[in-house]
């Protein structure tokens, strides 16, 4: 293996590792994401309970009720946006290409990078990232499903109010899932392919590891 | 745990609605078992035609009101008895057998502790008939609270009720 070949392979490898670090950060931020979504649900139900008590014991003013409904439905998007923003911020905090300066030193830099690698941790990170990527995909679909169900429920309520036509709640939930899966079909396909690529990366790295361990380098 | 507690609290609220599009003499009734607090909204829409007669509303205290436009009234029936834990159990443990209704007309029970009704073609003594318990030994006055008014004339009458055991 010559110096150019080594630098090029190392660059590819480190780029893939940066990607894995991002996926790993997605998994790590799932705790924050879950806490924020649960907090949103708790806040929305608390607000709903407060408004129910208010309308029972204080007054059931129609204008106030509409405003309360608006606020109730605004809590969910606000919480979801905040949770997604938090995940994105954490993923953005992963600084890619920090290794480029070392790699610019040539074969010596590449060897230095290789020596600093902890292979067991890398393999574990990829498996972890793969799982997280899958869980994040499911969580994203579930959240979108919740939003779509809420939106369709409000639409159904409006249609019922205007035209006295009512859609069954089960149908609303099922239709919301169909809409979400249809709108996210490209994302789902991309996610499926990405998981396949991570599998491929894992196998490639095993080869990479064995090749570098046994390689003679020409300066 | 917080979510479970909130769900328990949320499940305690009950609501009900009744609408009648008929002319004649109707009683509009909101009733509840005494451990509930209840707010009922009664709305009367007189028929909107130029030659329509005014609709006469007679309240339980004997006062009367003639209306020609939409009329709405809210009433609050406060809690007047102690909490009945059977109600909570009947909500969360649906395994319990449904109790039989204790009244001839009203559908009040621990499963259904608030009720609203628009009773068509009533006579002046409708209350004694409406209040009548299935079992004569029941002391209904202690067990339930009731608000009513009579509507006479061509109008659509609706009543919605909303309550909780607090």
């Amino acid at each position: 293996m010559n110096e150019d070949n080594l630098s090029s392979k190392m660059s590819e490898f480190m780029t893939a590792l940066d990607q894995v670090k991002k996926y790993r950060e997605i998994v790590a931020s799932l705790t924050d994401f879950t806490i924020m979504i649960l907090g949103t649900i708790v806040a929305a139900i608390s607000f709903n309970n407060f408004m129910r008590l208010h309308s029972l014991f204080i007054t059931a003013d129609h204008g106030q009720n509409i405003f309360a409904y608006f606020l109730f439905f605004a809590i969910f998007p606000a919480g979801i946006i905040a949770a997604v923003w938090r995940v994105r911020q954490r993923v953005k905090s992963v600084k890619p290409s920090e290794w480029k300066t070392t790699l610019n030193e040539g074969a010596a830099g590449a060897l230095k990078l290789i020596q600093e690698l902890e292979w067991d941790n890398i393999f574990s990170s990829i498996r972890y990232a793969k799982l997280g990527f899958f869980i994040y995909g499911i969580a994203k679909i579930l959240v979108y499903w919740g939003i779509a169900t809420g939106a369709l429920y409000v639409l159904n309520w409006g249609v019922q109010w205007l035209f006295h036509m009512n859609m069954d709640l089960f149908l609303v939930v099922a239709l919301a899932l169909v809409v979400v899966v249809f709108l996210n079909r490209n994302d789902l396909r991309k996610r499926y392919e990405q998981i396949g690529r991570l599998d491929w990366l894992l196998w490639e790295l095993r080869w990479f590891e064995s090749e570098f361990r046994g390689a003679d380098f020409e300066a | 745990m917080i979510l479970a507690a909130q769900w328990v609290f949320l499940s305690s609220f009950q609501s009900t609605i009744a609408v009648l599009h008929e002319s004649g003499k109707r009683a509009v009734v909101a009733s509840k078992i005494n451990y509930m607090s209840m707010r009922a909204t009664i709305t009367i829409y007189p028929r909107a035609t130029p030659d329509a007669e005014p609709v006469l509303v007679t309240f339980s205290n004997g006062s009367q009101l003639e209306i020609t436009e939409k009329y709405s009234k809210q009433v609050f029936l406060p809690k007047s008895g102690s909490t009945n834990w059977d109600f909570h159990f009947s909500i969360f443990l649906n395994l319990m057998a449904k109790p039989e209704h204790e009244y001839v007309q009203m559908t009040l029970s621990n499963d259904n502790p608030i009720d609203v009704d628009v009773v068509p073609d009533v006579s002046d003594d409708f209350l004694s008939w409406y209040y009548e318990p299935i079992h004569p030994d029941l002391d209904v006055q202690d067990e339930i609270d009731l608000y009513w008014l009579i509507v006479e004339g061509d109008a659509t009458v609706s009543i919605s009720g909303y309550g909780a055991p607090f």
Side-chain angles (χ1 to χ4, degrees), chain A residues 42 46 49 52 55-56 60, chain B residues 6 9-10 39 74 76 162:
Chain A
V42 167
S46 299
N49 281 338
R52 278 167 182 257
S55 64
L56 179 61
Chain B
Q6 285 185 315
F9 190 79
L10 201 61
R39 184 174 290 275
Q74 271 190 23
F76 179 67
Y162 177 59

Side-chain angles (χ1 to χ4, degrees), chain A residues 183-196:
Chain A
L183 292 179
N184 284 278
R185 64 192 187 283
N186 289 335
D187 184 65
L188 285 170
R189 192 184 305 123
K190 198 176 121 190
R191 209 163 285 279
Y192 177 76
E193 287 167 1
Q194 195 74 43
I195 288 171

Side-chain angles (χ1 to χ4, degrees), chain A residues 11-125:
Chain A
S11 175
E12 263 177 48
F13 171 58
M14 295 307 283
T15 308
L17 273 192
D18 280 346
Q19 196 63 30
V20 167
K21 274 185 202 165
K22 282 188 180 178
Y23 293 158
R24 208 188 149 94
E25 200 54 42
I26 287 177
V27 184
S29 60
L30 276 181
T31 315
D32 293 7
F33 183 82
T34 309
I35 289 170
M36 288 176 88
I37 294 294
L38 285 178
T40 303
I41 294 170
V42 167
I45 297 178
S46 299
F47 180 74
N48 187 275
N49 281 338
F50 170 76
M51 286 313 298
R52 278 167 182 257
L53 284 174
H54 182 270
S55 64
L56 179 61
F57 290 109
I58 312 294
T59 175
D61 178 71
H62 193 59
Q64 279 181 1
N65 281 349
I66 289 173
F67 181 65
Y69 269 114
F70 172 77
L71 275 181
F72 176 71
F73 284 109
I75 289 173
F76 286 106
I80 289 162
I81 288 167
V84 170
W85 180 80
R86 173 74 183 150
V87 173
R88 290 175 75 94
Q89 285 300 106
R90 286 194 62 164
V91 172
K92 271 188 186 172
S93 72
V94 175
K95 292 191 171 49
S97 309
E98 281 185 324
W99 40 267
K100 270 194 176 161
T101 329
T102 316
L103 197 61
N104 285 342
E105 292 168 15
L111 287 171
K112 192 178 166 197
L113 284 173
I114 291 168
Q115 278 171 347
E116 285 170 0
L117 292 174
E118 292 175 23
W119 289 97
D120 288 341
N121 278 352
I122 290 170
F123 293 140
S124 152
S125 283

Side-chain angles (χ1 to χ4, degrees), chain B residues 8-62:
Chain B
V8 167
F9 190 79
L10 201 61
S11 306
S12 304
F13 289 88
Q14 306 258 318
S15 65
T16 178
I17 189 165
V19 183
L20 191 72
H21 312 266
E22 273 183 30
S23 56
K25 189 173 180 179
R26 287 137 292 177
V28 186
V29 189
S31 55
K32 68 171 184 74
I33 300 185
N34 59 13
Y35 57 80
M36 299 291 282
S37 296
M38 178 182 184
R39 184 174 290 275
T41 305
I42 301 164
T43 312
I44 304 164
Y45 303 90
R47 183 184 278 264
T49 52
D51 57 337
E53 293 283 314
V55 173
L56 180 67
V57 181
T58 306
F59 298 96
S60 51
N61 61 7

Side-chain angles (χ1 to χ4, degrees), chain B residues 27-31 115-119 126 130 146-149 159:
Chain B
V28 186
V29 189
S31 55
D115 187 35
V116 292
D117 205 358
V118 184
V119 189
F126 95 95
Y130 193 78
L146 189 131
Y147 178 88
W148 60 271
L149 52 82
I159 177 168

